[in-house]
Amino acid sequence: MSHTLNIKTAGIPLNQAEKALIMIHGRGGSAQDILSLSQHLNVKDYALLAPQALNHTWYPFSFIAPVEQNEPWLSSALEMVEETVKVAVNAGIKPENIYFFGFSQGACLTLEFLVRNAQKFGGAAAIIGGVIGEKINRENYKGDFAGTPVFLGTSNPDFHVPVERVYATANILREMNAEVTEKVYANFGHSINEEEIEIANSVIFK
């Protein structure tokens, strides 16, 4: 079972934009849902691209399940993110002007894509997510973020994402030369709060 590339768009037309924001929805969510969040972000002059997962789910099990349990969906989902990046690059947008925003399962997918393909991107905000796998497999991670700003926001506890994995992800990103900002909210629940939006705007979409 695999995803087919289905990108919803908003914002500035891609062929007129200098910056692109790729938005990755969570489990049960949709591309339209995550695009609607953009009205709270400082992205007025960005092209917005949001791939849609088949059946609204990028992969079937927890992100900390053994990776093989989430295949072939996970590999297909990572390919969808890669293809979405290629759409922006082929439209003439440089990687350093490509940004990411992911929530929950979408945050996990965003972060896993980034550590496997590290380079100088515009920046990334990942709300309630971490790198994927029962165990962290550093052999999959390559590249250098060259100072790319990354914001990680989460709740502790969170039913789906243990805070330990968020911290471990922050450390990996730092080792790969990302500029990481992390914020943990006590008992906030599985959602995005206003302060996280403010931090994303001040650190990433400035």
Side-chain angles (χ1 to χ4, degrees):
M1 183 136 150
S2 63
H3 303 278
T4 46
L5 192 62
N6 175 10
I7 300 173
K8 307 296 181 196
T9 60
I12 304 281
L14 199 51
N15 59 359
Q16 296 169 25
E18 289 182 10
K19 294 179 176 181
L21 170 59
I22 294 170
M23 305 188 79
I24 311 290
H25 69 78
R27 186 192 299 268
S30 72
Q32 295 305 148
D33 289 345
I34 196 101
L35 283 172
S36 68
L37 247 182
S38 67
Q39 63 194 350
H40 304 290
L41 301 171
N42 292 339
V43 293
K44 301 283 179 284
D45 55 343
Y46 290 56
L48 308 177
L49 306 172
Q52 173 65 52
L54 185 69
N55 299 332
H56 304 277
T57 302
W58 291 111
Y59 43 86
F61 297 106
S62 164
F63 84 114
I64 46 176
V67 166
E68 53 274 15
Q69 287 183 12
N70 276 317
E71 293 294 4
W73 300 276
L74 175 59
S75 291
S76 175
L78 287 164
E79 197 181 319
M80 293 306 101
V81 182
E82 185 173 2
E83 291 298 321
T84 306
V85 171
K86 279 184 189 163
V87 167
V89 170
N90 291 342
I93 295 178
K94 299 186 178 84
E96 62 263 33
N97 288 326
I98 295 175
Y99 295 74
F100 299 84
F101 187 103
F103 171 65
S104 189
Q105 193 183 55
C108 299
L109 183 60
T110 298
L111 290 163
E112 185 69 19
F113 171 79
L114 289 171
V115 294
R116 289 178 183 225
N117 301 278
Q119 58 176 300
K120 176 71 173 163
F121 287 112
I127 310 299
I128 311 187
V131 294
I132 294 173
E134 182 182 29
K135 296 186 174 68
I136 289 171
N137 184 358
R138 293 298 301 269
E139 288 172 18
N140 287 336
Y141 307 160
K142 55 188 182 291
D144 186 315
F145 285 111
T148 300
V150 180
F151 170 53
L152 302 177
T154 198
S155 172
N156 183 33
D158 180 81
F159 182 65
H160 300 285
V161 179
V163 73
E164 294 77 19
R165 180 58 63 95
V166 179
Y167 289 137
T169 301
N171 290 336
I172 290 163
L173 290 163
R174 288 190 181 102
E175 285 166 25
M176 297 176 79
N177 293 320
E179 292 287 331
V180 181
T181 303
E182 62 195 86
K183 188 81 201 237
V184 178
Y185 298 88
N187 302 304
F188 185 75
H190 196 77
S191 60
I192 300 170
N193 67 46
E194 256 176 62
E195 189 176 273
E196 286 169 326
I197 294 289
E198 285 167 17
I199 295 170
N201 280 331
S202 62
V203 174
I204 312 298
F205 308 113
K206 51 181 188 279

